[in-house]
Amino acid sequence: MPERVASEVLSAMVGGMFSASALYPLEVLKTRMQAEAKPSSNPQEETVTNETSSTASNNASNNGDNNNDETESNSTTTEKQTLKNQYTHAATEGMSSYASLMYQHEGGIAPFYAGVGTSAVQSATEKALYFFAYTFFKNGYVNLTGSSNIGTISNLILGCMAEWSHLPVTLPIDCVTTAIQTDDKNRGAFVLLGNILSEKGIGGFYKGIQAYTVLCLKPAIQYTVYEQVKKIVLATRRVNRAAAAGGGRSSAIVVEDESLGAAEAFLLGMVARIVATMLTYPYLRAKVMLQSTYGNAKVKPTIPQMISEQFSEGGVWGLYQGIGPELTRGVFSAALMMMVKERIGVMVRALIDGREEQQKQLINNRGR
């Protein structure tokens, strides 16, 4: 059993790191577009803008000799606000418009890979801990009930428990990754980490955790859909092969019957991710906005308030702003991760089964 758990964890970790790195530009686009909000919806930005206008007005009336400096300062502020509005508008148009704006104004391709190392570590850690916890809870459920047939509801509950179990470790990494992706000053992971600690303490690393009351369902739904359909596919395959073979089965066939082919895993992973993303996306966007747009605001709205605000400002599309890169990245990420996971799992299980077979042969030879 420990070998099986190790197989699940190792294959999930490698698959998660590979998929996260391969599709990282889409991750950056998704996060940036989710974090965009109308200027009027960011109280802190309004305060800064009002203070800037007030200061400029006072300086103009009391210090006539500095008019040129004030004009330059006001011009710079106006340019920044104009660019900010362009980003906000591009986020509502789609990922191609937003990507084009980033490329033109932020130095080419480099911004699309800001924080890729942190994201790879986050993905590997999250997937490894999730599958370790899920396998642990699943084995406990089987031992407790005496049945290896886990239903849909039980799978969802086990998936939610597994998701919550890794948050104490992975949510701080996620918070730093989001800060890197949305930071317009390119300050780097260690500087941003220090800023979060100095401004908010440890609690700053857990901004948006309330969204996980619903977001914990996302991987649970994804892997439940995946596992339930996988069971049907493998059961059908075993029946067909047993009927065709009419008897004996080698260990290689047994191992193959316990895993999907690369194409099967890829397609099934895509379908599972689409279902999970569409059901939970409004909460995902609200979490990103809490970590970025409202990150330093003194008064933060609650998750339901943010979702209500998004709906009132943009209707259903407001709830799903940034869904394009999220679906594109998420679907291919899940598909790649599941494909790599299945293939690595096959290799690890084959090694384990081969070692067990060798041990049995040794024991039999000694008995003779």
Side-chain angles (χ1 to χ4, degrees):
M1 192 65 69
E3 289 87 353
R4 301 289 180 181
V5 175
S7 169
E8 286 289 310
V9 171
L10 177 63
S11 57
M13 182 173 65
V14 175
M17 182 177 290
F18 174 78
S19 62
S21 300
L23 300 167
Y24 189 71
L26 289 172
E27 168 72 16
V28 173
L29 271 176
K30 177 264 297 185
T31 302
R32 291 279 298 268
M33 290 174 68
Q34 286 173 346
E36 291 292 347
K38 292 183 179 180
S40 61
S41 66
N42 189 337
Q44 187 187 29
E45 183 178 308
E46 283 184 356
T47 301
V48 172
T49 304
N50 291 337
E51 287 176 357
T52 302
S53 300
S54 176
T55 302
S57 178
N58 291 336
N59 287 342
S61 61
N62 298 328
N63 302 299
D65 295 336
N66 296 325
N67 281 342
N68 290 336
D69 292 340
E70 289 166 8
T71 301
E72 291 178 4
S73 176
N74 290 338
S75 177
T76 301
T77 302
T78 302
E79 288 176 2
K80 288 181 178 179
Q81 188 60 47
T82 300
L83 184 59
K84 168 65 178 173
N85 290 339
Q86 288 178 357
Y87 274 108
T88 302
H89 182 66
T92 64
E93 289 186 332
M95 60 179 174
S96 59
S97 297
Y98 201 93
S100 176
L101 202 60
M102 281 182 63
Y103 186 86
Q104 290 174 12
H105 292 280
E106 299 181 32
I109 202 71
F112 293 91
Y113 288 92
V116 64
T118 308
S119 178
V121 170
Q122 176 202 344
S123 184
T125 304
E126 178 181 318
K127 297 301 185 294
L129 292 177
Y130 179 89
F131 276 96
F132 177 82
Y134 178 76
T135 306
F136 175 82
F137 291 136
K138 182 172 71 173
N139 292 339
Y141 176 87
V142 171
N143 292 334
L144 187 66
T145 61
S147 172
S148 59
N149 186 21
I150 304 176
T152 303
I153 301 300
S154 298
N155 243 327
L156 282 172
I157 294 173
L158 294 176
C160 288
M161 292 169 61
E163 178 71 4
W164 275 101
S165 67
H166 72 71
L167 286 181
V169 176
T170 59
L171 192 55
I173 306 176
D174 179 56
C175 190
V176 173
T177 303
T178 300
I180 294 171
Q181 293 170 349
T182 57
D183 180 45
D184 56 2
K185 298 178 182 177
N186 299 320
R187 288 172 289 183
F190 289 106
V191 174
L192 291 170
L193 189 150
N195 287 347
I196 294 171
L197 270 177
S198 62
E199 292 172 5
K200 302 292 181 180
I202 297 298
F205 291 110
Y206 294 93
K207 288 181 292 188
I209 192 171
Q210 60 266 45
Y212 277 91
T213 53
V214 172
L215 286 181
C216 67
L217 288 170
K218 183 181 177 183
I221 293 170
Q222 178 182 332
Y223 296 124
T224 296
V225 170
Y226 185 87
E227 289 295 328
Q228 296 301 110
V229 179
K230 177 182 174 181
K231 281 183 182 179
I232 297 172
V233 172
L234 295 182
T236 303
R237 180 189 296 169
R238 282 192 291 267
V239 170
N240 292 339
R241 284 189 174 176
R249 290 153 56 85
S250 68
S251 59
I253 292 179
V254 173
V255 171
E256 187 65 25
D257 279 352
E258 295 303 318
S259 64
L260 297 174
E264 292 172 322
F266 189 88
L267 292 173
L268 182 51
M270 290 178 67
V271 172
R273 184 57 174 249
I274 289 172
V275 173
T277 299
M278 294 303 295
L279 291 175
T280 60
Y281 185 80
Y283 279 82
L284 179 62
R285 187 185 175 214
K287 181 207 63 139
V288 172
M289 291 184 71
L290 272 179
Q291 292 176 335
S292 54
T293 307
Y294 292 91
N296 296 318
K298 292 181 179 179
V299 179
K300 297 183 179 68
T302 63
I303 295 292
Q305 285 174 341
M306 292 181 69
I307 292 176
S308 176
E309 179 183 309
Q310 293 162 18
F311 182 77
S312 64
E313 289 181 352
V316 174
W317 176 246
L319 296 178
Y320 285 88
Q321 180 175 303
I323 189 68
E326 167 64 18
L327 271 180
T328 306
R329 182 208 64 86
V331 164
F332 281 100
S333 174
L336 284 172
M337 197 274 284
M338 289 301 188
M339 182 180 70
V340 174
K341 177 181 176 296
E342 288 289 336
R343 292 299 89 198
I344 292 177
V346 168
M347 291 187 291
V348 173
R349 285 194 296 271
L351 289 173
I352 292 171
D353 291 343
R355 190 179 67 180
E356 290 177 351
E357 188 68 27
Q358 287 179 349
Q359 290 175 345
K360 288 179 182 178
Q361 291 178 356
L362 286 173
I363 291 172
N364 292 334
N365 290 337
R366 288 174 183 172
R368 293 173 185 171

